[in-house]
RNA sequence: UCCCCGGUAGCUCAGUCGGUAGAGCGGGUGACUGUUAAUCACUAGGUCGGCAGUUCGAGCCUGUCCCGGGGAGCCA
């Protein structure tokens, strides 16, 4: 007999004479005459109720089953006479596959997120974490669907890089050098003896690589892991996270802002339509306002606000800020929150930032003071997307590289894209985990990735 | 990295004036013929985060380190 998953069983149209299901015991209620087993197999949030009668030959074993045990059940699917569920399975056989001793760490009660983080290998067996990781999987596919439907090509940019993309964050070294005996020359580490013959790092962004493919395949995107070795201890940062970076050829900042809005709205609508059961759990137990937040995002155009006007709004507001609001200074968390949560009460795209607070590759505007950069800010999370139209003019780009004191030679291949058939192009980066926080209401980024990597934390 | 808060039973927490420790849940045993985080009875669980100090005496006071949370910086 073929195994059927709980998800299919629960959506069954009619009773079934014989089914086989396998999964893990969530809870067990028993008495002398029969037992109720709540069985979950991860296929969906809901459990299926299994009734085991005491005349079953191994009933003594069934009564000693515990939360967490793995079992196989054969029986028939019938309409449940009890309240609370449509279907239940009357067992004709229960096979014990894997026991769970009484020190099983997950109890049938609510645990704190902090505790569950210490058992990250077991937490997906809880309702909340099962739900977020099912949603993580579904949204990963939705991201590819969004781009593939629009004829964007997925580019696998490298994880190990030799380029120093200045300003994008601190990097992890990749090396095979003997750390007890590092070869040196003139007091510096001699990377010539290292695996690649030069200094190597884990990628902090696939952008520069994907830009090169943008000038051949047109519209492209990356979706993969990214690494930053910054000593950030916040609920919004990790050392390893997943990033989506589209890049469009023959596109300007307006196109970029539109793509960012379309992308977020597509994913929010997808979640509401395709993950409704799991989403309901978050709306009920994690964030009571989740559904209205998502409705608001899905159904309204994002506010588009030039940086200069954002500064004016902040300066005119009666709000007291800890950090000074001044043209030329970057917006702080408190400023972003004021704009999205209090002033506009919806996502805001701030664009045309002062050039001195933004990266070297962003396109200089005609005012020569600002660059064609944009950040999409959402309530509670803050910056979810950072993007720009790229500087496609060779002379402007080399001038900027020189101004910042970077070594032009390191960017020879990047500059080639401006030398040969350069085109206006634009793109952005979106942190996948921040998106998951947005659609689930989960407030700590460590709880939307299977095994979080943060400073001083590398368990599992 | 900085500021603030916390660490007591497996989990969530209480612990008065400094006098050697409590509850709920969970676990175990038993009862119970339709339960929904079942209910009822009984029962076993403790290096009070580590180290040092003050004191006749420290879960409680002091110092320090470790870990967790919230906020900030940096960013996605």
């Amino acid at each position: 007999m073929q195994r059927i998953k709980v998800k299919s069983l629960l959506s069954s149209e009619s009773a079934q004479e014989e089914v086989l299901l396998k999964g893990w015991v969530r809870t067990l209620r028993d008495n002398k005459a029969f037992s109720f087993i709540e069985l979950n197999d991860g296929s969906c949030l809901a459990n299926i109720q299994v009734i085991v009668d005491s005349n079953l030959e191994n009933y003594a074993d069934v009564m000693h089953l515990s939360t967490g045990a793995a079992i196989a059940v054969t029986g028939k699917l019938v309409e449940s006479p009890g309240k609370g569920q449509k279907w239940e399975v009357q067992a004709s056989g229960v096979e014990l596959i894997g026991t769970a001793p009484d020190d099983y760490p997950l109890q049938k009660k609510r645990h704190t997120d902090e505790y569950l983080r210490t058992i990250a290998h077991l937490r997906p067996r809880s309702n909340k974490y099962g739900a977020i990781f099912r949603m993580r999987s579904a949204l990963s596919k939705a991201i590819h669907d969004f781009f593939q439907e629009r004829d964007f090509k997925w580019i696998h940019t490298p994880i190990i890089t030799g380029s120093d993309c200045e300003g994008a964050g601190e990097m992890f070294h990749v090396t095979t050098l003997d750390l007890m005996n590092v070869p040196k020359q003139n007091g510096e580490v001699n990377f010539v003896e290292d695996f690649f013959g030069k200094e190597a790092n884990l990628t902090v962004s696939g952008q520069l690589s994907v830009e090169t493919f943008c000038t051949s395949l047109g519209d492209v995107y990356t979706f993969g892991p990214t690494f930053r070795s910054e000593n950030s201890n916040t609920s919004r940062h990790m050392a390893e996270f997943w990033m989506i970076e589209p890049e469009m050829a023959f596109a300007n900042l307006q196109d970029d802002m539109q793509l960012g809005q379309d992308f977020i709205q597509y994913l929010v609508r997808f979640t509401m339509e395709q993950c409704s059961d799991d989403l309901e759990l978050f709306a009920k137990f994690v964030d009571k306002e989740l559904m209205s937040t998502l409705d608001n995002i899905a159904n309204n155009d994002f506010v588009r606000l030039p940086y200069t006007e954002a500064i004016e709004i902040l300066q005119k507001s009666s709000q007291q800020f800890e950090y000074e609001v001044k043209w030329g200074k970057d917006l702080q968390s408190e400023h972003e929150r004021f704009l999205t949560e209090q002033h506009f009460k919806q996502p805001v795209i701030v664009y045309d930032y002062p050039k001195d607070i933004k990266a070297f590759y962003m396109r200089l505007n005609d005012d020569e003071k600002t660059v064609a950069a944009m950040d999409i800010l959402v309530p509670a999370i803050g910056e979810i997307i950072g993007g720009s139209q790229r500087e496609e003019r060779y002379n402007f780009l080399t001038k900027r590289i020189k101004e910042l004191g970077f070594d032009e030679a390191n960017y020879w291949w990047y500059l080639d894209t401006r030398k040969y058939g350069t085109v206006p192009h634009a793109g952005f980066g979106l942190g996948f985990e921040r998106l998951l926080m947005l659609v689930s209401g989960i407030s700590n980024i460590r709880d939307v990735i299977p095994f979080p990597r943060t400073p001083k934390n590398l368990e599992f």
Side-chain angles (χ1 to χ4, degrees):
Chain A
M1 200 183 348
Q2 195 169 5
R3 174 191 171 205
I4 185 165
K5 293 197 177 177
V6 171
K7 186 181 179 182
S8 324
L9 214 49
L10 287 174
S11 60
S12 183
E13 296 284 319
S14 57
Q16 296 185 42
E17 268 309 301
E18 195 169 32
V19 295
L20 166 65
L21 59 155
K22 299 180 180 183
W24 294 269
V25 175
R26 276 295 174 79
T27 85
L28 187 77
R29 297 176 288 274
D30 61 23
N31 62 43
K32 195 183 276 180
F34 48 80
S35 293
F36 298 95
I37 299 172
E38 294 284 336
L39 196 71
N40 187 286
D41 67 0
S43 59
C44 60
L45 180 66
N47 307 319
I48 192 154
Q49 177 164 283
V50 176
I51 290 83
V52 186
D53 198 87
S54 62
N55 60 24
L56 204 76
E57 56 176 336
N58 60 345
Y59 187 68
D61 295 339
V62 172
M63 276 187 73
H64 284 89
L65 277 176
S66 55
T67 305
I71 59 172
V73 175
T74 49
K76 55 182 174 183
L77 184 75
V78 298
E79 286 198 43
S80 175
K83 286 176 185 171
Q85 61 280 317
K86 182 168 188 229
W87 297 111
E88 64 184 26
V89 170
Q90 286 185 342
S92 55
V94 174
E95 182 199 345
L96 183 58
I97 295 173
T99 59
D102 58 31
D103 60 354
Y104 183 63
L106 286 168
Q107 303 171 5
K108 22 185 184 182
K109 65 167 209 164
R110 288 191 69 172
H111 290 290
T112 59
D113 293 321
E114 293 76 27
Y115 170 67
L116 291 169
R117 222 170 278 151
T118 67
I119 49 168
H121 58 309
L122 296 174
R123 66 179 178 168
R125 297 190 189 194
S126 69
N127 286 337
K128 178 174 164 184
Y129 287 88
I132 190 64
F133 294 125
R134 269 188 301 274
M135 267 172 51
R136 188 179 167 108
S137 168
L139 276 167
S140 299
K141 180 179 180 297
I143 284 163
H144 287 298
D145 288 347
F146 175 86
F147 287 120
Q148 300 284 338
E149 283 166 12
R150 285 159 183 74
D151 203 26
F152 281 59
K153 304 297 186 289
W154 183 21
I155 308 302
H156 298 122
T157 52
I159 304 294
I160 300 173
T161 71
S163 63
D164 334 297
C165 183
E166 270 97 348
E170 296 296 313
M171 292 184 286
F172 287 101
H173 285 295
V174 176
T175 184
T176 53
L177 291 177
D178 178 3
L179 294 180
M180 298 299 286
N181 185 22
V182 177
K184 292 194 177 169
Q185 194 171 47
N186 303 326
E188 306 252 296
V189 177
N190 185 9
F191 286 106
V192 172
E193 293 188 29
D194 204 351
F195 185 88
F196 294 105
K198 64 186 286 193
E199 192 171 351
N201 301 99
L202 292 179
T203 183
V204 293
S205 166
Q207 184 198 313
L208 300 192
S209 309
V210 89
E211 273 188 63
T212 69
F213 273 69
C214 176
T215 59
S216 51
L217 300 192
D219 296 337
V220 294
Y221 68 106
T222 73
F223 181 16
T226 304
F227 308 89
R228 305 265 169 98
S229 66
E230 272 142 10
N231 189 16
S232 298
N233 295 286
T234 81
S235 54
R236 303 183 308 281
H237 293 87
M238 291 183 294
E240 178 180 305
F241 62 100
W242 285 58
M243 192 150 66
I244 299 118
E245 295 173 288
E247 197 71 34
M248 291 177 290
F250 309 104
N252 60 24
L253 190 67
Q254 293 299 318
D255 301 320
D256 205 31
M257 291 192 270
Q258 191 62 47
L259 183 72
Q261 177 185 321
D262 290 347
F263 184 49
I264 289 175
Q265 289 184 327
Y266 178 96
L267 295 172
V268 167
R269 287 191 199 112
F270 173 90
T271 309
M272 294 169 88
E273 287 160 14
Q274 305 293 318
C275 308
S276 53
D277 289 350
D278 289 327
L279 196 58
E280 201 177 312
L281 178 144
F282 296 114
K284 200 170 167 188
F285 297 113
V286 177
D287 178 3
K288 300 273 187 219
E289 291 173 15
L290 183 61
M291 297 316 288
S292 61
T293 303
L294 296 183
D295 272 330
N296 183 10
I297 293 171
N299 298 315
N300 294 297
D301 282 332
F302 297 179
V303 172
R304 296 190 188 187
L305 182 70
Y307 167 89
T308 303
E309 284 179 32
I311 292 294
E312 283 166 11
I313 288 172
L314 290 166
Q315 284 174 337
K316 281 179 192 162
S317 83
S318 53
Q319 187 85 10
Q320 285 293 312
F321 296 112
E322 192 184 340
Y323 289 85
E324 186 188 17
V325 178
K326 188 182 170 188
W327 200 98
K329 293 200 170 188
D330 210 351
L331 298 181
Q332 302 296 323
S333 291
E334 57 175 345
H335 307 142
E336 296 177 350
R337 295 189 75 144
F338 176 81
L339 291 173
T340 58
E341 291 167 23
Q342 293 183 50
H343 191 81
F344 292 108
K345 297 188 190 335
Q346 68 177 100
V348 177
I349 310 179
V350 180
Y351 65 98
D352 286 349
Y353 281 84
K355 69 170 184 175
D356 290 330
I357 57 172
K358 288 290 177 184
F360 76 95
Y361 50 73
M362 297 183 177
R363 191 181 196 277
L364 190 65
N365 287 322
D366 291 343
D367 61 15
E368 297 196 348
K369 289 188 296 192
T370 62
V371 288
M374 64 99 179
D375 285 350
I376 300 187
L377 314 175
V378 293
I381 293 163
E383 184 184 337
I384 193 166
I385 278 182
S388 64
Q389 182 175 342
R390 320 306 188 187
E391 183 55 81
E392 85 282 11
R393 297 162 297 186
Y394 187 91
N395 292 342
F396 280 77
L397 190 56
T398 51
K399 188 183 166 211
R400 192 73 184 129
I401 286 174
K402 276 190 198 115
E403 273 175 11
L404 292 167
F406 299 167
D407 185 358
E408 205 178 303
N410 287 335
Y411 298 90
W412 69 273
W413 53 268
Y414 187 66
L415 288 167
D416 268 4
T417 59
R418 275 65 171 171
K419 191 173 166 188
Y420 306 116
T422 190
V423 296
H425 61 291
F428 61 77
L430 177 141
F432 185 39
E433 284 76 19
R434 290 194 181 170
L435 179 84
L436 288 168
M437 292 169 78
L438 178 70
V439 297
S440 68
I442 287 177
S443 57
N444 195 311
I445 199 166
R446 297 171 179 93
D447 297 332
V448 300
I449 193 167
F451 298 106
R453 272 78 176 93
T454 52
K456 302 276 185 281
N457 186 352
L458 190 57
E459 195 62 55
F460 309 107

